[in-house]
Amino acid sequence: MEVVITTTVEDAGRVVADVVTQALHGGARVLGLATGSSPLAAYRELARRHREEGLSFAGVRAFLLDEYVGLPASHPQSYARVIRTELVDAVDLDPAGVHGPAGDAADVLAEARRYDEALRAAGPVDLQVLGIGVNGHLGFNEPGSSLASRTRVKTLTARTRQDNARFFTGADAVPRHVITQGLGTITEARHLVLTASGEHKAAAVAAAVEGPVTASCPASVLQLHPRVTVVVDEAAASGLAQAEHYRDVLAHKIAGQGY
Ligand code: F6R
């Protein structure tokens, strides 16, 4: 696992954008996309590189991590709509090649299985962008999720509904259920890049990177993956016991080492 600690959120966004850019230049054709606040700086930077430097996503397909049950893709807070606004419309990603679970499917259990199979058929995902919940969730795999889980319907914790209340009229308006890629599904991607910022994420980042591998911190499953890049600002890195070593590694990288 490579841990990159940056001074600001914008710097973290540039590093994540570098990882995505390298993947695209290296021939990546399937991207995994997270929504929420964490990847926004990276998506803004990718949009800038597309506008000003000709970075192209042509021919790339993208798969979302998760979706709220009950929200149609037209709902302003559906992740299908959010990713459209935050990234797809700002670059040359073909909207027809951007996939997510249908939160308004009549049979959401079957929809979760269908999505998992679609991912398997299209995959493996070359690069998966990830955020992390304050409680260590990855995708919407809340604490207690099997580390081997596949895409399925999950129930959000009260904490996550509270955290996401800012996108709705309040916590009660946040859907209770989601369809989320499982931890086993997510870790099939070739390369995982997780980004977090702010002190409220520090404990979760420390548990995921340096704590025991446990379903109690779903993001700790990253430790089992051979290629992970964690990009955090100083506040989110403030709980890391080995922070000095990560900085040292970065300062003395040899050509080709790391992301
Ligand atoms: C979003 C997702 C979630 C978020 C996490 C952090 O697609 O899967 O795991 O990455 O809840 O959310 P933010 O970035 O809003 O703090």
Side-chain angles (χ1 to χ4, degrees):
M1 185 183 295
E2 179 174 33
V3 181
V4 181
I5 302 172
T6 66
T7 313
T8 67
V9 183
E10 289 70 30
D11 292 335
R14 276 188 282 276
V15 173
V16 174
D18 286 347
V19 175
V20 176
T21 303
Q22 270 181 31
L24 292 173
H25 289 163
R29 283 295 165 265
V30 186
L31 291 181
L33 300 174
T35 40
S37 307
S38 305
L40 290 183
Y43 293 164
R44 271 195 293 273
E45 173 63 10
L46 288 167
R48 188 199 65 73
R49 290 181 192 189
H50 170 69
R51 269 192 328 270
E52 296 175 15
E53 295 167 10
L55 177 70
S56 177
F57 291 75
V60 170
R61 281 193 290 170
F63 287 83
L64 300 187
L65 277 174
D66 36 30
E67 186 56 274
Y68 290 112
V69 165
L71 299 195
S74 57
H75 189 285
Q77 292 311 327
S78 77
Y79 283 160
R81 177 82 174 269
V82 168
I83 202 68
R84 185 93 193 239
T85 315
E86 303 295 354
L87 183 67
V88 179
D89 285 351
V91 297
D92 57 346
L93 263 171
D94 177 2
V98 180
H99 308 279
D104 61 347
D107 181 345
V108 283
L109 304 186
E111 171 60 10
R113 287 192 295 274
R114 182 204 66 76
Y115 190 62
D116 205 76
E117 273 154 31
L119 262 163
R120 259 209 175 116
V125 168
D126 293 299
L127 177 68
Q128 174 67 57
V129 178
L130 295 163
I132 184 172
V134 167
N135 63 3
H137 72 220
L138 201 65
F140 275 134
N141 295 280
E142 298 282 33
S145 294
S146 159
L147 302 184
S149 49
R150 309 299 310 180
T151 305
R152 68 222 181 287
V153 172
K154 290 293 280 179
T155 305
L156 294 178
T157 60
R159 174 68 210 245
T160 298
R161 292 178 77 217
Q162 190 61 54
D163 287 344
N164 287 1
R166 68 191 191 281
F167 298 117
F168 292 82
T169 50
D172 286 345
V174 179
R176 201 170 279 280
H177 297 104
V178 291
I179 299 175
T180 181
Q181 286 191 36
L183 296 169
T185 319
I186 292 169
T187 49
E188 274 169 7
R190 290 197 165 102
H191 184 181
L192 306 173
V193 56
L194 179 139
T195 188
S197 59
E199 197 164 352
H200 62 302
K201 296 288 177 78
V205 168
V209 173
E210 295 178 340
V213 175
T214 165
S216 299
C217 176
S220 65
V221 75
L222 297 183
Q223 295 177 39
L224 298 175
H225 193 283
R227 191 161 181 215
V228 176
T229 310
V230 173
V231 186
V232 283
D233 72 351
E234 275 171 12
S238 59
L240 291 170
Q242 301 296 326
E244 279 323 302
H245 177 60
Y246 307 138
R247 289 196 171 93
D248 209 37
V249 170
L250 202 63
H252 300 96
K253 273 219 278 201
I254 60 171
Q257 190 188 5
Y259 67 83

